Amino acid sequence: MGLTDWLQHSEEELCMRYCAYWASLRGMPDTKNTVTVTVSLPRSHQFTVLALQSMMQRLSQGVLL
């Protein structure tokens, strides 16, 4: 499955298929590992319209994610 099967964008729309999750790496310690890094993505952190709206609202108020 290629990237175009998951994500398409144009000036009119951004279309994500299937399910996406997000995680903030702010405050995480630096790593010397440059090959692979495991990042845990909580199932409660689905990247939804509501989640994106909440992130943008918090950022506009100066709250860092």
Side-chain angles (χ1 to χ4, degrees):
M1 195 171 286
L3 180 59
T4 57
D5 295 321
W6 290 82
L7 182 67
Q8 295 180 355
H9 68 89
S10 68
E11 290 187 16
E12 288 83 29
E13 69 179 353
L14 171 64
C15 180
M16 293 189 309
R17 295 196 172 125
Y18 307 104
C19 190
Y21 297 90
W22 67 273
S24 175
L25 301 179
R26 183 174 299 282
M28 297 297 293
D30 291 343
T31 180
K32 294 182 181 181
N33 186 347
T34 60
V35 178
T36 61
V37 176
T38 301
V39 177
S40 295
L41 298 172
R43 291 187 66 89
S44 62
H45 284 193
Q46 277 193 351
F47 190 71
T48 63
V49 170
L50 184 60
L52 179 58
Q53 289 172 331
S54 176
M55 288 177 199
M56 295 297 105
Q57 179 67 32
R58 288 182 288 172
L59 289 170
S60 73
Q61 296 170 348
V63 177
L64 301 177
L65 302 177

